[in-house]
Amino acid sequence: MTSATILVLAVTWVGVGLASGLWMARRGFDPLWILAAMPLGLLFVPIAAERVQRRPALAAVGAEGAPPRRSPETTGPRILIGIDGSTESERALSETMRLFGPRFGVLVLAEVVHFEATEDVSRAVIDAAVARLAALVARLDGSAAVHTEVLAGPPGATLRRFAEQQDMDLVVVGRRGRGLSAYLLGSVSAELIEHSPVPVLVVGRLDETGTTSPRRAANRATTTANGTV
């Protein structure tokens, strides 16, 4: 076997492992799996195939409990805001409060963690997310109950699924979150715009004047139905 053949096989082996690790990371698993996947190569494929069958799940509920079901007595929109600890997700919350004030019917702040966080007996990642959400709620004026949820899974798909299940009227997210590049794990806002049946409001970066410029976006189905974006 020539050295060139060995090199090709080695690159292919590592490439298959890298692709499998990225696949898992995009499906809501800890990105550190990528480091384990690369040396395992083809051996990692069945591991990834078995694990990606998991579905988004609820990891923790805030002090206000689960959001109530829609009822005739409830007025105002049901709004879900995706929080990830980034400044842009905090701007998403600030912009939502500026636009709607206390006029919402139900407001839910949700942070999505990777699946491994639910298997950690210390619950360190989940508890940190719960604390971040509680801190944000404490900064609000307290004029209405705000529900908080910690979810586990791929961020975009998990928020989309939760919004559908909870009959939300609007999902609000920052244009970019914290952590690894969107090129690696995918953009949450892009995932929601493309696939969410619930209208999406994407809050962008600060402009030159120091103010946030929100951009309303909708998926293809919503655009077709309403004729507007």
Side-chain angles (χ1 to χ4, degrees), residues 49-72:
E50 186 275 329
R51 283 186 166 260
V52 297
Q53 301 303 316
R54 293 186 63 174
R55 295 291 180 266
L58 177 65
V61 179
E64 293 293 337
R69 295 291 181 181
R70 188 187 296 275
S71 67

Side-chain angles (χ1 to χ4, degrees), residues 187-206:
S187 167
V188 174
S189 59
E191 155 75 21
L192 287 167
I193 290 169
E194 182 70 19
H195 299 291
S196 175
V198 179
V200 177
L201 175 66
V202 178
V203 177
R205 300 174 179 175
L206 293 177

Side-chain angles (χ1 to χ4, degrees), residues 2 11-12 28 31 40 53 89 93 102 107 129 133 135 145 159 183 199 219:
T2 66
V11 170
T12 302
L40 290 176
Q53 301 303 316
S89 69
L93 173 58
L107 180 62
L133 294 172
L159 290 173
Y183 293 106
N219 64 29

Side-chain angles (χ1 to χ4, degrees), residues 60-222:
V61 179
E64 293 293 337
R69 295 291 181 181
R70 188 187 296 275
S71 67
E73 294 77 23
T74 303
T75 60
R78 298 170 62 85
I79 302 175
L80 169 65
I81 305 177
I83 300 295
D84 65 0
S86 68
T87 55
E88 290 210 349
S89 69
E90 293 187 17
R91 288 179 196 140
L93 173 58
S94 299
E95 196 65 24
T96 301
M97 299 306 297
R98 185 186 70 81
L99 291 171
F100 295 95
R103 295 186 296 276
F104 49 78
V106 172
L107 180 62
V108 181
L109 309 185
E111 179 164 344
V112 183
V113 299
H114 52 70
F115 283 121
E116 285 79 10
T118 63
E119 302 169 354
D120 181 4
V121 294
S122 72
R123 292 178 58 89
V125 173
I126 294 174
D127 289 345
V130 169
R132 277 192 294 271
L133 294 172
L136 289 176
V137 172
R139 287 161 47 182
L140 303 179
D141 59 15
S143 57
V146 180
H147 300 268
T148 60
E149 306 268 350
V150 179
L151 310 171
T158 301
L159 290 173
R160 170 167 51 85
R161 184 171 183 264
F162 183 85
E164 292 181 66
Q165 291 178 336
Q166 297 296 326
D167 193 21
M168 292 292 164
D169 297 308
L170 181 67
V171 181
V172 185
V173 292
R175 186 176 179 184
R176 294 197 181 276
R178 66 180 175 87
L180 294 179
S181 166
Y183 293 106
L184 179 60
L185 298 184
S187 167
V188 174
S189 59
E191 155 75 21
L192 287 167
I193 290 169
E194 182 70 19
H195 299 291
S196 175
V198 179
V200 177
L201 175 66
V202 178
V203 177
R205 300 174 179 175
L206 293 177
D207 61 22
E208 293 80 1
T209 65
T211 59
T212 303
S213 300
R215 176 170 57 90
R216 184 176 298 278
N219 64 29
R220 293 174 182 172
T222 304

Side-chain angles (χ1 to χ4, degrees), residues 6-32:
I6 294 174
L7 178 60
V8 169
L9 290 175
V11 170
T12 302
W13 183 270
V14 173
V16 170
L18 175 61
S20 300
L22 285 170
W23 183 33
M24 282 188 61
R26 285 178 174 268
R27 295 295 294 270
F29 292 88
D30 193 330
L32 290 177

